[in-house]
Amino acid sequence: MRPAPPLWIWPLGAGLAAGAAFLMQLWAAQTVQQEAEPSGRAAAYARQVLNAPRAQGDIRVLGMGSSLLMAATPPTDQTQAHLHWKRLSNPGLGVDFLGASLVEVEQHPPDILVIEKNLLLVDPQRQAMALLRRNVWLGLRKIAAIAIPSLIQTDPRGEVLQRQNEELTCEQIPKPANAFDFNKYLHLLNTSYSSLQVDSSLLAALQELSKRGVTIVILDIQRSMQIERMTAAAKQAWFAHLRQLLPAGARIAYRTSPSYDNGELYCDSSHLNDAGRRLFSTWWSQELTQIQKAMH
């Protein structure tokens, strides 16, 4: 017969179990707070932008998109045509934490709402598992930070929000480490396009806003020609599906930016650098002016 464990084992075990339960509760609470903060901060920024006073004749243009939009456009701009440009961006595909900002847009709509097409995409590889992985990572990091406070770091999504009023630089954009990572990126894009999925809640919001007189612009900021060639078939099929769901009309327009063969204009074959941004800005300013004229 095996000897019974010493009596001191039981209170130690109970203490460890209680400590683990406390850490799990702390993890859950901090993770929920971490998930809520970016959404609330983005919505507050959207509210500030949409409620700002403007002179008679000014046209408010709000752009919502991914990091492609951040790289290609300035945070704020005013043209000679009285077009006031502001933007809201998140790092990846889908609406993500900009969903709360969309509520603000519905309550205080701009004159022109630009939706970069990445917001309408649904990434089938992301969804629940990606959320779980992020929460586990955040939880472990925060648990470790209890013992080592220096481990606490800024939430990457919070950093994106802090940069809403800043230019996005190439130093802030992670590049594929090798050909394998680049091919994984291409596979992600092709898979996302091939799914033919469109964010239904965002689509419904855009349809309703167009009925209320808001001009909706679906903007395709093209990546380098290398990537565009390797995703062309799946992307064209996805856009054909989107146009069936959201047909172009008096209040709904589609715009596709130039795709540059010069790799020197991109940080990573996807995000435009300073030189690429200048070329894009010239094209985009002309497009916005045409869109403004079509409104009258």
Side-chain angles (χ1 to χ4, degrees), residues 57-235:
D58 286 346
I59 295 178
R60 182 161 291 161
V61 186
L62 178 66
M64 299 179 70
S66 68
S67 55
L68 293 186
L69 186 73
M70 292 184 71
T73 63
T76 183
D77 189 29
Q78 180 178 357
T79 69
Q80 295 180 357
H82 301 286
L83 292 167
H84 290 257
W85 164 266
K86 292 280 189 177
R87 71 167 188 219
L88 283 165
S89 303
N90 67 22
L93 303 181
V95 174
D96 198 26
F97 61 76
L98 290 185
S101 302
L102 187 61
V103 175
E104 297 293 332
V105 173
E106 292 175 302
Q107 293 176 352
H108 308 283
D111 300 294
I112 301 174
L113 176 62
V114 179
I115 298 293
E116 190 243 310
K117 61 108 176 34
N118 277 350
L119 290 194
L120 284 158
L121 281 168
V122 177
D123 177 5
Q125 297 183 9
R126 198 167 182 268
Q127 303 307 316
M129 285 307 298
L131 178 62
L132 177 61
R133 285 195 299 270
R134 183 172 68 246
N135 286 348
V136 169
W137 177 77
L138 284 172
L140 292 175
R141 187 185 67 183
K142 290 177 181 296
I143 289 173
I146 294 174
I148 310 175
S150 62
L151 291 180
I152 297 178
Q153 299 175 2
T154 305
D155 174 16
R157 298 195 304 166
E159 292 176 358
V160 169
L161 288 173
Q162 293 171 3
R163 294 198 300 268
Q164 293 288 353
N165 282 321
E166 301 176 13
E167 299 285 357
L168 184 65
T169 65
C170 287
E171 288 74 19
Q172 297 166 313
I173 299 172
K175 299 180 181 179
N178 47 47
F180 178 74
D181 286 345
F182 182 74
N183 289 331
K184 283 173 57 179
Y185 178 60
L186 287 175
H187 177 71
L188 168 65
L189 291 176
N190 276 313
T191 302
S192 300
Y193 289 134
S194 299
S195 70
L196 296 183
Q197 295 184 65
V198 177
D199 188 300
S200 57
S201 59
L202 177 55
L203 188 68
L206 296 180
Q207 291 170 329
E208 179 60 28
L209 285 167
S210 68
K211 295 176 183 177
R212 293 167 56 186
V214 178
T215 296
I216 307 296
V217 180
I218 307 300
L219 174 62
D220 176 19
I221 299 178
Q222 295 205 85
R223 297 171 172 87
S224 66
M225 284 188 178
Q226 177 190 15
I227 293 180
E228 293 297 330
R229 281 194 296 263
M230 300 177 78
T231 59
K235 180 178 178 180

Side-chain angles (χ1 to χ4, degrees), residues 17-50:
F22 170 76
L23 290 177
M24 290 301 292
Q25 289 179 343
L26 180 64
W27 167 24
Q30 290 179 328
T31 298
V32 168
Q33 180 182 7
Q34 192 76 16
E35 290 297 312
E37 280 183 1
S39 176
R41 289 168 64 186
Y45 181 77
R47 192 179 310 116
Q48 174 187 346
V49 167
L50 295 167

